[in-house]
Amino acid sequence: MAVSSRGSVASLTAAVSLGVAVFFTLYSLIPITRADEPGLSSAFVGTMMAFVMGVQVFTPALVRRFSLRFVLMGAFALLAAGALVTGCAANTPMLLAGAVASGSGFGTLIVAGAQGVALLVAPDRLGRSLGVYGLVTMAASSLGSPAGVQVALTFSSPAFGVSAFIAGLLAIGLSLGIPGAVGRGSAASEPYAGRSRGPRTLVSDVPWLIVALLLLSVVLLSHGLSSLPVLASAFGSAATVVFAVQGGNALGRGLGGELEARIGVRATAFGGALLLAAGGALGVLVDGMAGAIASGALIGLGVGIVQTVTLHATMRRMEAGSASVVWNLAVDGGLWVGGILWGLALSAALVVPGVLVFSALVLLAGVAAAIQLGGTGRTRSASA
């Protein structure tokens, strides 16, 4: 049940936007600034993503116990501290300590953020609201992430760390705009809450083909955020490519909610997969900065559409907290696998065949998921 005003949704969205911008800067920062150490890049991203995923399953219970506002404030504090340690790290243990703190904070805030939208918005407006939420948070990242990378490259990594710490403090302040009681004891009143949610029921409720499409799509997004900027650095600015990916992602997140309402869930899902696969192939088959920028924009646009459609579809099938966990595990699982995979692919000069394989897999998964999405939408909307 929606319990709060537009101001609360705005505070939530603004706070999460800052956190997303800091996190995606960290995700791209080490591969770009330590391009001569791809093994270290894989270790950092792999460690960070392991902790992102490790904390997510506990987040809905924390929100029910302590409230949405309290959990978000703690998550932003962890992310800010982790970014500061990462930026100032003088050795590998410090770098990995920053990855642990950053990953734990981001994993908590990203699940709580999506769950918060469902708690604050009426069910009949949830699809478009998720699209707007995704648009704003990724738009902030599309500006903040390249800016963070550029700060580190132009000045120093510690300068980025201090800037990210300040952003985390601002996010904590914005979280105060969410009423203190929101989320506490919320499981019974969440939209689309269904029958008992034991482990077996939870697993049976997961729309697996949709989750597979999301995971494969985010692996390609990881290429756009890590290995594609490295390849493009031979022709121009790596930060420009990161901006193209994040800008496309922001547009896709908003467009996904609108397209779903206008042309249907199946066409929207397949269209997103098609754009994503085309962008992946373009970036490795066409040389030059223009090709890299176009590739990044298409990758971002496609994955943004896929993210919005799959999040809404999962929330139609499961209660909001569990749906946010499943969706974010798929997203962050893709970032985890991709962060390790593309670092190793760069080391072995296998980025081109790897991207082509994943582009084909995304296209196949798009066809399969579109079929399941059609059935899922009719089943849950009839009962919602």
Side-chain angles (χ1 to χ4, degrees):
M1 179 181 296
V3 297
S4 197
S5 67
R6 290 183 179 179
S8 299
V9 178
S11 294
L12 169 68
T13 303
V16 173
S17 295
L18 288 171
V20 170
V22 170
F23 171 77
F24 277 107
T25 303
L26 288 170
Y27 192 87
S28 297
L29 186 69
I30 304 305
I32 292 172
T33 58
R34 309 278 183 103
D36 56 336
E37 300 178 88
L40 180 61
S41 168
S42 290
F44 174 82
V45 174
T47 300
M48 184 169 66
M49 295 314 305
F51 278 85
V52 168
M53 293 186 293
V55 302
Q56 289 182 348
V57 70
F58 306 107
T59 299
L62 290 175
V63 171
R64 290 193 294 270
R65 177 66 179 86
F66 297 107
S67 83
L68 179 65
R69 182 171 72 182
F70 185 87
V71 170
L72 283 172
M73 291 175 70
F76 289 127
L78 264 178
L79 178 62
L84 181 61
V85 171
T86 299
C88 298
N91 51 51
T92 299
M94 278 189 68
L95 195 67
L96 296 182
V100 170
S102 301
S104 299
F106 182 75
T108 302
L109 78 88
I110 202 64
V111 169
Q115 182 183 5
V117 176
L119 290 168
L120 293 167
V121 174
D124 62 343
R125 295 190 293 112
L126 183 57
R128 279 194 167 101
S129 295
L130 289 171
V132 172
Y133 170 80
L135 169 64
V136 175
T137 55
M138 291 313 302
S141 181
S142 72
L143 298 173
S145 178
V149 170
Q150 198 62 43
V151 165
L153 293 176
T154 303
F155 299 100
S156 66
S157 291
F160 158 73
V162 172
S163 300
F165 185 78
I166 293 172
L169 295 180
L170 289 174
I172 292 173
L174 287 166
S175 300
L176 295 173
I178 302 169
V182 171
R184 190 180 295 128
S186 60
S189 61
E190 288 182 7
Y192 308 113
R195 57 193 184 278
S196 173
R197 291 178 294 274
R200 183 175 299 177
T201 300
L202 177 62
V203 170
S204 67
D205 279 349
V206 175
W208 291 108
L209 291 177
I210 297 168
V211 171
L213 169 63
L214 179 61
L215 191 149
L216 291 169
S217 297
V218 176
V219 171
L220 266 185
L221 171 64
S222 175
H223 158 67
L225 294 172
S226 57
S227 50
L228 181 63
V230 173
L231 296 177
S233 62
F235 306 105
S237 169
T240 302
V241 176
V242 174
F243 174 76
V245 175
Q246 298 286 35
N249 196 344
L251 179 61
R253 292 290 293 271
L255 192 60
E258 192 63 33
L259 285 175
E260 181 185 343
R262 292 178 178 272
I263 67 175
V265 65
R266 289 184 176 184
T268 304
F270 180 72
L274 184 61
L275 288 171
L276 182 55
L282 177 66
V284 295
L285 296 179
V286 177
D287 288 333
M289 194 62 187
I293 292 172
S295 170
L298 286 173
I299 287 172
L301 184 63
V303 80
I305 292 171
V306 168
Q307 284 177 306
T308 294
V309 170
T310 54
L311 177 56
H312 191 205
T314 308
M315 284 188 170
R316 284 179 177 273
R317 181 140 183 177
M318 309 170 70
E319 60 95 3
S322 297
S324 184
V325 170
V326 169
W327 186 85
N328 279 289
L329 281 173
V331 170
D332 297 324
L335 290 173
W336 184 34
V337 171
I340 297 171
L341 174 68
W342 301 120
L344 296 176
L346 280 169
S347 300
L350 292 174
V351 172
V352 173
V355 169
L356 293 177
V357 166
F358 273 93
S359 296
L361 289 174
V362 164
L363 206 53
L364 291 173
V367 173
I371 296 171
Q372 187 178 33
L373 275 165
T376 299
R378 287 192 302 270
T379 300
R380 296 304 294 174
S381 60
S383 62

